Amino acid sequence: MKLIALVLLLAAPAAAFLPDLLEKLWPEQQGGVFDGVARIPYLDLLNDNSYIDPFLLQSMKVFGYFYVVDVPEYSAAVEQDYMKNFYDLDEDVKDELAIRRHNPANKNAYRGYCPGLDDVENTLQYKNLYNIGPHEARAASFESDDILQKLRYDCQEPNVWPETGNCTFDKGFKETFQAGFEIRRNIGRAFIRSIARAMEYPNLPALFAEDEFSAMGLRKYPIRRKINSNMYSDFDGTLLRELEHIDSTVTVLSTFNNGGLEVLYKNQYRAVPVTGENSFIVNIGKLVDDLIDNKVPSVRHRVAEVDFDRYSITYFLGPQFDADISRSMTNKLTDAGEKYTIFGEWIKDYLGAIELFYY
């Protein structure tokens, strides 16, 4: 990858700074299969520094993902500690925040706590999820016979936050994950701008101007007491905690120091280096892949079984409600376009199938 980087940069004005720049983008070369994955500094990405574009694009084309690093005033350890403390709360405290499928007294169908079920007979993927969105308040009640307009309103659910009686914890939890949501949203939008520049698709960012459906999930995969025979991979027989899949939109992922994530690379699943204390993994899903003419792969990935409680955070950035997803940037019919015109139509069926990112 450094050889490719050298070729990309030789004619650039920054060529005099090649050694520093290469070390900045690829600081550790240890002979691993994913050593060539680009590590893009957060501020360079957010500030639309165009030097990053070819490296980001090349990393996506070759590996299907890249890292965002050096995020100011961000601590993965603080996030994970708050997650552990939240999931250690009494069940009756967490139940106050549970979505209405689990607590009919609550109004939210999407934003809030979704407890997992350790039942090998009826449940494939045992995990707990706390879902956070972009809205802290919602408009007054809305009545309409238009299904899409009702969905637009319904999906703007306000977040719910713990009220444990411990003001220090409650305040810290809310502020930490509000800030974490904003960091991840910034990364997702800046990635779209970068890929638009690299591919010369100037109209792409307009599809993501709003993010009514973006979601951040605080995930805990508890140790499973029994093996579910349906969780063995059809691909290679590996026992899994998260089934093999590709995403749909833009994903910004934190694995902290928890292993288990694997991506399909050269027809073999390989372990992905963890994000650690100050980085994020970014990849795209099928819907976004189609919008950019399938020039960047939507990488297939999974989580292998581990013998510890595993924590991670996923953030998904999708197009805005009215975004036209029926045609790619070069006006080719997308797979979604066979049935849908706008993202709002697509999300209606998508949410009905998976209950807003609970996969």
Side-chain angles (χ1 to χ4, degrees):
M1 180 60 78
K2 283 192 174 183
L3 178 60
I4 296 172
L6 185 63
V7 173
L8 291 171
L9 274 176
L10 277 176
F17 306 101
L18 271 175
D20 291 342
L21 186 54
L22 292 176
E23 185 62 28
K24 184 178 184 180
L25 292 169
W26 294 278
E28 300 177 3
Q29 297 289 302
Q30 300 175 348
V33 67
F34 293 128
D35 280 356
V37 175
R39 303 176 65 83
I40 305 296
Y42 176 80
L43 291 179
D44 288 347
L45 180 67
L46 259 63
N47 292 332
D48 296 319
N49 192 327
S50 60
Y51 89 84
I52 69 169
D53 297 342
F55 304 109
L56 185 157
L57 179 60
Q58 183 68 14
S59 186
M60 290 293 291
K61 285 183 174 181
V62 174
F63 301 103
Y65 74 99
F66 68 97
Y67 291 92
V68 175
V69 301
D70 301 335
V71 184
E73 300 180 3
Y74 170 74
S75 170
V78 169
E79 286 190 335
Q80 183 168 250
D81 284 346
Y82 271 116
M83 289 177 65
K84 289 180 177 179
N85 289 333
F86 171 79
Y87 283 114
D88 284 342
L89 294 172
D90 291 340
E91 287 303 317
D92 59 342
V93 176
K94 290 182 288 191
D95 186 61
E96 291 295 316
L97 305 172
I99 61 174
R100 66 172 180 245
R101 188 180 66 165
H102 298 279
N103 182 354
N106 286 342
K107 294 182 179 180
N108 281 5
Y110 311 129
R111 311 304 185 187
Y113 175 55
C114 181
L117 183 64
D118 190 10
D119 180 353
V120 296
E121 301 300 326
N122 300 300
T123 304
L124 284 176
Q125 301 182 130
Y126 176 37
K127 63 186 172 188
N128 300 308
L129 179 65
Y130 184 90
N131 187 294
I132 300 167
H135 306 288
E136 294 299 337
R138 81 181 321 166
S141 61
F142 175 83
E143 298 293 335
S144 175
D145 293 331
D146 187 311
I147 295 177
L148 287 179
Q149 292 306 316
K150 186 177 184 302
L151 178 67
R152 186 199 295 266
Y153 175 81
D154 287 346
C155 285
Q156 295 181 20
E157 290 181 341
N159 289 321
V160 294
W161 300 102
E163 295 181 359
T164 66
N166 181 335
C167 295
T168 300
F169 171 79
D170 294 349
K171 181 175 183 290
F173 183 93
K174 180 177 180 179
E175 291 179 350
T176 294
F177 290 113
Q178 283 179 326
F181 187 97
E182 191 64 26
I183 287 170
R184 291 166 173 86
R185 176 162 58 182
N186 288 341
I187 289 172
R189 286 176 167 171
F191 161 70
I192 289 294
R193 296 195 302 271
S194 174
I195 214 79
R197 292 191 302 267
M199 293 184 168
E200 298 183 350
Y201 289 159
N203 295 326
L204 182 65
L207 299 182
F208 295 82
E210 302 292 337
D211 65 327
E212 303 99 326
F213 303 99
S214 59
M216 183 171 79
L218 314 185
R219 301 182 175 202
K220 177 185 177 181
Y221 299 81
I223 296 174
R224 195 154 206 173
R225 294 188 294 270
K226 296 182 180 179
I227 292 176
N228 187 325
S229 60
N230 292 317
M231 290 299 291
Y232 285 100
S233 167
D234 291 335
F235 183 83
D236 59 8
T238 298
L239 182 60
L240 303 177
R241 287 307 305 268
E242 189 85 42
L243 294 173
E244 294 150 351
H245 66 283
I246 58 174
D247 294 336
S248 296
T249 54
V250 176
T251 303
V252 182
L253 174 66
S254 303
T255 58
F256 306 115
N257 287 304
N258 302 310
L261 177 66
E262 299 178 349
V263 302
L264 187 62
Y265 178 70
K266 295 185 177 180
N267 203 39
Q268 181 180 343
Y269 276 99
R270 302 168 188 264
V272 174
V274 298
T275 55
E277 172 62 14
N278 196 277
S279 68
F280 300 91
I281 289 170
V282 181
N283 64 277
I284 64 169
K286 170 64 174 167
L287 185 72
V288 177
D289 187 18
D290 285 354
L291 290 174
I292 57 176
D293 296 292
N294 305 115
K295 292 183 178 179
V296 170
S298 46
V299 65
R300 183 168 291 276
H301 53 286
R302 68 188 190 185
V303 177
E305 183 63 271
V306 294
D307 59 358
F308 54 86
D309 289 339
R310 184 180 185 274
Y311 296 85
S312 67
I313 298 179
T314 53
Y315 170 84
F316 301 105
L317 176 69
Q320 64 186 29
F321 190 94
D322 297 313
D324 186 345
I325 60 169
S326 67
R327 296 280 171 178
S328 73
M329 291 293 100
T330 59
N331 204 37
K332 297 176 182 176
L333 184 68
T334 63
D335 284 354
E338 298 281 355
K339 184 176 180 181
Y340 310 104
T341 300
I342 64 171
F343 184 64
E345 296 168 335
W346 181 91
I347 201 73
K348 177 174 69 66
D349 287 352
Y350 185 68
L351 298 186
I354 65 163
E355 300 179 271
L356 191 61
F357 307 121
Y358 293 155
Y359 43 64

